[in-house]
Amino acid sequence: MSERKIALEVEDLWVSYGESVVLEAVSFRVERGRFIGIIGPNGAGKTTLFKAILGIIPVKRGKVRVFGEDVDRVRDRIGYVPQMVETNPMVPLTCGEMVAMGLVARPWGVRVLSGSTEDKVRRAMALLGIEDLFTVPYKTASVGQKQRVLIARALVKDPQILFLDEPTASVDEPTETNVFYLLNQLKGQGMTIVMISHDIGVLSQFVDEIACLNRTLVYHGKGGEELSSAITSAYSCPVDLIAHGMPHRVLKRHEDD
Amino acid sequence: MIEIPLDWSGLGLVKNAFLSLLGGALVSALVGPFMFMRRLGFVSAGISHALLGVIGVALLFGLPLSAVLVPATVVLGLFMGMLERRSRSGAPEVAVALTWTVGMAIGITALRQVKGYVPDAMSYLFGNAFLLSGSDVLFAWGLSLSASLAVLLFFRGLLACAVDEEFAVSQGLPARGLYYLLLVIISLAVLSLVKSLGVILMIAMLLVPPAIGERKSRGILGMFLWTLGINLFTVCVGLWLALRMDLPVSVAITFVLAGLYILL
Ligand SMILES: Nc1ncnc2c1ncn2[C@@H]1O[C@H](COP(=O)(O)OP(=O)(O)O)[C@@H](O)[C@H]1O
Ligand SMILES: [Mg+2]
């Protein structure tokens, strides 16, 4: 595999919060233009993995490369949809202004305002079918709408790799399917997509590969029988899987789900 | 306490009061909302109160105020910011309160030792907008303009960090640097308001208008415009009220702001 084809490379990643180790020895690679789904039980360290990759929290040991470079050098090409949709309620932003936050440029946010900002924002919002939210206060939007606003915020600068942390956790099913179709379309245009999701069923219909995380990477591949047993051990509950792109289903839900 | 000035020099003093309050209205309109959005009201009040210690010490040792105040206030602001950041990770807020109160205690102690300055302690506590010299006005405007320009220059970065610091970091913004930059800006703004509004009451001017603005507006631009409008209104009405009722300007302004906060 040639180096230039690798979009994301994580090598021997260790992360801890104080004394407690949350991720240990996580290593994987994602090729350009692939759609990878990351699954794992609650508290497995999925969100932590994203934050470590993006330099939001410090890494204890290990290496992260995006497009073969240090993350700091390629931030303009990275889009990020965080798990938490609640932002600081003291800041009054319209949904349009929230999307424009994705265009804040380095360094130090100094940037000459350009007339094309609004066009870009409206285009990104149109992709998610939320143009009508442009002047609606973000605070008053529903959770599902907020999730789509945050996806638009990540897409507004045309990233080449997109990290999504459970972006469809609170949207209804048709919207979830639409989001997946959109991601699939973006993938078709060459974007690499890394997505954390609880919904193994929908996820497995769209992704090229699946990684299962539980403190460490317990599975990474295209799915199938191997994944089934990996998930069973990771979730410590039986999982019903039909291989090769058909819907998968977690039979017994966790109490804390 | 204050005679309504009718002669030429008196009019000059009213003009100076108005000019310096105008600068105050401008800088508060740009800095206040960030203070409000980042919940830095407590820390900012701490900076302004502890500033009394810096002033007292400078006067006691006969240091030139204009040279000492800016660097000392900036250091004070950065220190307070550091304490606030620590308190977010679970450390108690006592450290901020302690710096605040110890600063004031030092200030009062020092001012008591300075011959002839005892009555002036009052004017640092509550400000004395009607006793500003031309150079006082220039000093205040210099600080207001520096702080305002810094806000405008770094507006998007400061805003992104106020909205969501983690996302800002993911976009490559130096969140920690922008946080401390904001504290430097707050320190300059606080210093620009000391002589006209005093260390105690200026916090109303900085925090109340953005709080109203946040309630009244759908988006970020509206918040800043509301804040600017309220500031200009407050300064004018406050000055008029102070002249009419023979009140210190800072007291009149505080009453106006309280009224607006309840009514709007
Ligand atoms: N800021 C933090 N400080 C301490 N522990 C944390 C923090 N964030 C997450 N954790 C812990 O790290 C573990 C992994 O969390 P997280 O990455 O959010 O899991 P997931 O996203 O897979 O549900 C959990 O046990 C969680 O309690
Ligand atoms: Mg998570």
Side-chain angles (χ1 to χ4, degrees), chain A residues 16-18 20-23 39-51 57 83 165-166 196 198 213, chain B residues 166:
Chain A
S16 56
Y17 291 113
S20 68
V21 179
V22 177
L23 291 178
I39 57 172
N42 278 341
K46 304 181 297 295
T47 297
T48 303
L49 173 66
F50 271 17
K51 288 186 181 177
I57 54 171
Q83 179 172 16
D165 194 346
E166 305 204 24
I196 294 170
H198 256 109
L213 190 76
Chain B
E166 288 195 345

Side-chain angles (χ1 to χ4, degrees), chain B:
Chain B
M1 206 159 82
I2 297 156
E3 283 175 45
I4 298 182
L6 291 171
D7 59 4
W8 234 106
S9 62
L11 277 180
L13 290 179
V14 173
K15 190 187 74 185
N16 283 353
F18 180 68
L19 285 178
S20 91
L21 289 171
L22 208 58
L26 174 73
V27 75
S28 324
L30 283 163
V31 180
F34 281 106
M35 238 182 228
F36 172 81
M37 291 188 289
R38 301 210 60 168
R39 297 172 208 267
L40 289 173
F42 186 61
V43 169
S44 306
I47 295 172
S48 79
H49 282 73
L51 186 54
L52 195 70
V54 177
I55 293 170
V57 170
L59 289 174
L60 181 62
F61 292 104
L63 305 171
L65 272 186
S66 48
V68 172
L69 278 186
V70 174
T73 310
V74 166
V75 170
L76 176 65
L78 292 174
F79 180 68
M80 281 290 211
M82 190 196 77
L83 295 178
E84 192 269 341
R85 244 184 134 81
R86 272 185 34 188
S87 77
R88 270 191 260 162
S89 58
E93 277 186 336
V94 175
V96 173
L98 199 62
T99 311
W100 164 337
T101 46
V102 168
M104 278 201 98
I106 291 174
I108 297 292
T109 311
L111 283 173
R112 280 165 60 102
Q113 312 292 318
V114 184
K115 233 184 172 171
Y117 270 105
V118 179
D120 270 12
M122 280 292 279
S123 78
Y124 283 113
L125 289 174
F126 300 104
N128 201 340
F130 287 131
L131 282 181
L132 299 177
S133 67
S135 58
D136 286 338
V137 176
L138 279 181
F139 186 68
W141 263 94
L143 292 166
S144 311
L145 282 183
S146 322
S148 303
L149 286 177
V151 169
L152 291 175
L153 189 58
F154 295 101
F155 189 85
R156 293 186 142 230
L158 292 170
L159 183 61
C161 289
V163 176
D164 178 353
E165 240 184 28
E166 288 195 345
F167 181 75
V169 170
S170 83
Q171 300 302 290
L173 288 171
R176 186 189 298 244
L178 283 163
Y179 170 78
Y180 284 109
L181 174 76
L182 180 59
L183 278 146
V184 171
I185 292 171
I186 289 173
S187 304
L188 298 180
V190 161
L191 193 51
S192 80
L193 293 171
V194 160
K195 282 222 162 177
S196 52
L197 296 182
V199 300
I200 296 180
L201 297 182
M202 71 164 77
I203 202 68
M205 182 77 183
L206 287 164
L207 281 181
V208 173
I212 300 171
E214 190 272 330
R215 279 204 307 246
K216 289 284 167 191
S217 48
R218 298 163 73 86
I220 196 71
L221 190 65
M223 183 196 205
F224 279 86
L225 290 178
W226 264 97
T227 305
L228 182 64
I230 292 169
N231 284 359
L232 293 173
F233 176 83
T234 301
V235 161
C236 293
V237 174
L239 193 58
W240 174 79
L241 208 60
L243 287 167
R244 266 306 286 267
M245 317 256 303
D246 193 15
L247 288 170
V249 175
S250 59
V251 171
I253 279 180
T254 305
F255 287 144
V256 174
L257 288 171
L260 290 176
Y261 188 76
I262 293 163
L263 289 175
L264 290 177

